[in-house]
Structures are given as C-alpha cells and as structure tokens.
Amino acid sequence: VLVVGDLFDHARVTANAVAEVYAALERLPGVCVVMVGNHDVHDDGSLYHRHRNVVDDTGVHLIDAHEGAVVRLFDDTLHLWGKAMDEHSPAFRPLAGVPTRADHPAWYLVMGHGHYVEDPAESHRSSLITPADITGTGADYVALGHWHVTTDVSDGPVTAWYSGAPSGNPGGRALIVDLDPAAGVTVTPVEVPLSPTGCG
C-alpha cells in the first residue's frame, strides 16, 4: 500500500493520533510505504520530528529523506524511490534526483507528491512535475499524490497516475496497480466507500 503524501492534514497532531493511524496501516495486508506531502511537510516543525518514535514502533516504511531514499521490498524484487518534501515551493521538484534504474530485474517504482504541468515555464506553482520528469524516472510505475481527482499522466513508456483522494463525498478513489511480467503495468481505479460520518 502506497500513501503518497498528506496522510495528515497538518502538523498539529498528537502522538496518540499518529499511533492510531499507523497501527491501522500496519494491520493492512502486505507492506505499507508512506511519504510526506505538502500538508504534512517534513520541515523543522514536522510532526515526524516529534512522533518519529511512534512510527518506528510499527512495520510501516516512512520515506523522510530530503535527498530521496530507496526502499527494497519482497526479497529485493521491488525497488521503490521517493523523497520527502521539506518545503512546498517552486524550488522543490518531487522527481528531481531519481537515481538511474539499477541493472537488476526488480520492478522499479517511484513516488512523488506535487503538481503536474505540461510546460513549467507557464506555471508558478510549487512542487512541479513535468512529462519529462516522469519519463526521466525510467520507472515501471510512478505513483503521484497531491491531486484529489484520479488522473492518468503517463508519458512515453512510463505509467504514472494520481490516485485521487481516498475520502470525499460520498466516497473517494484509490488505485489497484498490477505488475505483471508478461502484461506489464495495469492500473484499475476503484471506489472507496465511506460511512455517512466520513470514516470507513
């Protein structure tokens, strides 16, 4: 399970709240990887500076390195790269610095939290992601966060999607991404049903 930023809406959360959320993520089947976004940005006031010990007590992988980090999963058959946002500004480029794909038969996934634009010269938005950024990853799949609407922004041979927000009214969206050696990458948007209170 990939959470591509904005797990929390702001940094003013308690240790108990973080513990409850990460305990729920740990109960999910399989492996969970979380990166920060612009709402839970990893700056000097980051909630992860205060509550990192809570996260470390779980089996959830947190990507909090500003320069980026690779997580190797499933007996080294899947490599996943992402980097933590230290400032939501035009200077931050979510897919800058993606390492060259290793000469290894593993699946290669990249996570990025930011705003997609076709031409960065026409935008003054923060945390930009361009088609060239996506193609330049050389990844099998790029998981994107920030947009609340499910959107396919694949470019060239690289499959890239915004999952959309998993909560909303009346429900949210998520993506199931199948990695098949023969068929390649297949993305299926799914509805996330919510109770009337907004909690599933």
Side-chain angles (χ1 to χ4, degrees):
V1 177
L2 305 183
V3 180
V4 195
D6 294 350
L7 177 59
F8 298 99
D9 196 43
H10 52 73
R12 302 178 306 278
V13 293
T14 65
N16 286 340
V18 174
E20 183 176 350
V21 169
Y22 271 83
L25 293 176
E26 190 175 31
R27 288 194 298 270
L28 294 172
V31 177
C32 183
V33 180
V34 176
M35 70 180 300
V36 302
N38 60 300
H39 284 267
D40 48 8
V41 64
H42 196 45
D43 58 9
D44 290 342
S46 171
L47 66 97
Y48 290 112
H49 289 310
R50 300 193 311 277
H51 308 312
R52 181 60 194 259
N53 62 312
V54 176
V55 178
D56 287 344
D57 285 341
T58 71
V60 177
H61 297 270
L62 173 66
I63 296 178
D64 65 349
H66 293 153
E67 68 279 9
V70 175
V71 178
R72 293 172 172 82
L73 301 172
F74 309 116
D75 295 325
D76 208 36
T77 60
L78 188 150
H79 294 181
L80 191 152
W81 181 91
K83 71 175 177 180
M85 181 185 295
D86 58 350
E87 181 183 21
H88 184 48
S89 73
F92 180 74
R93 299 295 294 267
L95 300 185
V98 177
T100 303
R101 183 174 189 149
D103 184 17
H104 188 281
W107 290 101
Y108 188 34
L109 277 59
V110 168
M111 299 169 71
H113 188 96
H115 183 71
Y116 176 83
V117 293
E118 292 190 356
D119 184 359
E122 297 181 0
S123 177
H124 301 288
R125 301 289 293 270
S126 297
S127 306
L128 294 184
I129 296 169
T130 68
D133 291 336
I134 291 171
T135 305
T137 66
D140 294 301
Y141 180 72
V142 178
L144 298 175
H146 190 50
W147 287 7
H148 291 198
V149 178
T150 303
T151 308
D152 179 1
V153 293
S154 302
D155 195 82
V158 179
T159 303
W161 283 68
Y162 285 93
S163 63
S167 61
N169 188 13
R173 302 292 290 276
L175 299 175
I176 296 175
V177 181
D178 291 302
L179 307 173
D180 185 279
V185 180
T186 304
V187 179
T188 306
V190 295
E191 299 291 333
V192 179
L194 297 176
S195 71
T197 62
C199 298

